[in-house]
Amino acid sequence: MTDVFQPDTSFADGKILKSSTDGVGAITFNNPDKHNAMSLEMWEGFGQALTSLRDDDTVRVVILRGAGGKAFVSGADISQFEKQRHNAAASEDYAKRSAVQRALLADYPKPTIACIQGFCLGGGMQVAMLADIRIAAASSQFGIPAARLGIAYGYDGLRHLVSLIGPSWARLLMYTGMRIDAAEALRIGLVERVIPDDQLWGETMAIAETISGNAPLAIKAAKITIAEVLKDESQRDMDAIKQVGTACMDSEDFREGRQAFMEKRKPQFRGR
């Protein structure tokens, strides 16, 4: 499938690109000379792009991808470490500034898809794990080299890692700093699908377009409810689940869905 996206806005001196078409938004990590390694400026630009697409009512789903075909995100830009992460205090400040953007993705109200080709390492793994769905090219490689760099991977990143692949595999990846291929990532539950490289974009867009064509309120209800299911029972907001369910049942979209089914036509959902 031809890439129909043309960037309409750029951030971080062009290293973060934002685009959208037909209900699907895309954010591209555009630093291919460094395998899309994330600088602090890119983290901040990423947050700006997320906010822009979040506030765009025409966008119903967001794809995250890397430029160049060789990496999704290869981790943090290590060239910044000497200046910005050279000790515990500096690292804490760096972590706080980048954590704001990760929290924005973690609580994102719209469905997100990580379209992964090539290296997905370190901080790139954090981004991918925060997406709702991970689709990987067969050539992809995954890993967290924190032990080889002498740095601690943060709590939130490890919490997501353990929730996806379990504590034993998390320990193996973290203790060794090893890389695994896409087939292994699929087997242990780190990604949902593995696609031949030349079909990755087409398959990812097909999923995104399907999501975009479905009822936004129903998808919102599923996203909220799944998030609550993953919480400890004592922390679940059952009222929020009830409210989104009620909103669906009282919506124009529910009526449209029923009518379209009876009339044997494709429904036109408006998100209200």
Side-chain angles (χ1 to χ4, degrees):
M1 172 181 279
T2 302
D3 187 343
V4 298
F5 287 104
Q6 294 297 323
D8 56 56
T9 311
S10 66
F11 305 91
D13 291 328
K15 291 184 172 61
I16 298 291
L17 307 177
K18 177 188 74 72
S19 51
S20 63
T21 185
D22 297 331
V24 180
I27 297 175
T28 303
F29 304 103
N30 186 39
N31 191 16
D33 290 344
K34 292 188 176 182
H35 287 163
N36 301 323
M38 292 285 282
S39 64
L40 190 54
E41 294 76 19
M42 287 177 67
W43 277 113
E44 292 171 347
F46 179 44
Q48 292 173 308
L50 283 171
T51 300
S52 178
L53 290 173
R54 180 197 65 191
D55 296 341
D56 185 343
D57 291 338
T58 68
V59 173
R60 294 184 176 181
V61 57
V62 175
I63 298 172
L64 310 176
R65 61 180 183 169
K70 294 184 177 180
F72 174 68
V73 173
S74 63
D77 185 348
I78 297 177
S79 68
Q80 292 193 331
F81 278 26
E82 192 61 33
K83 181 178 180 180
Q84 296 180 334
R85 301 182 72 178
H86 57 281
N87 59 27
S91 292
E92 183 176 1
D93 179 65
Y94 180 98
K96 285 180 179 178
R97 293 173 68 183
S98 59
V100 172
Q101 326 309 330
R102 291 194 296 274
L104 181 61
L105 179 57
D107 296 328
Y108 209 63
K110 299 178 180 180
T112 52
I113 303 172
C115 177
I116 303 165
Q117 185 171 16
F119 299 115
C120 181
L121 308 173
M125 283 270 285
Q126 281 195 297
V127 173
M129 290 189 296
L130 286 170
D132 292 321
I133 300 167
R134 284 156 293 281
I135 310 297
S139 66
S140 300
Q141 296 184 44
F142 302 83
I144 301 173
R148 297 183 178 185
L149 295 171
I151 61 176
Y153 205 64
Y155 171 80
D156 285 338
L158 285 177
R159 178 169 61 86
H160 288 294
L161 184 66
V162 171
S163 72
L164 288 171
I165 67 175
S168 295
W169 260 102
R171 292 186 186 105
L172 180 60
L173 291 182
M174 295 305 301
Y175 295 175
T176 64
M178 67 187 291
R179 294 181 187 176
I180 60 173
D181 62 19
E184 189 84 285
L186 178 65
R187 188 181 70 81
I188 67 177
L190 186 59
V191 301
E192 282 66 65
R193 284 189 177 178
V194 172
I195 307 295
D197 285 46
D198 61 351
Q199 299 174 31
L200 176 66
W201 182 243
E203 292 288 337
T204 303
M205 274 298 295
I207 292 170
E209 288 170 347
T210 297
I211 293 171
S212 178
N214 286 336
L217 291 178
I219 292 171
K220 179 181 179 180
K223 181 158 185 168
I224 289 173
T225 303
I226 291 169
E228 294 300 325
V229 167
L230 292 173
K231 294 179 182 178
D232 184 87
E233 186 175 357
S234 64
Q235 301 298 316
R236 290 176 191 154
D237 188 345
M238 301 306 292
D239 286 338
I241 295 173
K242 182 177 180 180
Q243 287 172 13
V244 293
T246 299
C248 282
M249 300 306 290
D250 287 341
S251 69
E252 294 178 16
D253 278 355
F254 182 39
R255 291 192 292 275
E256 166 64 8
R258 298 197 310 272
Q259 291 171 0
F261 179 81
M262 297 299 293
E263 296 169 5
K264 297 182 180 181
R265 61 175 174 81
K266 184 177 179 180
Q268 300 296 317
F269 295 118
R270 299 183 178 181
R272 59 176 186 261

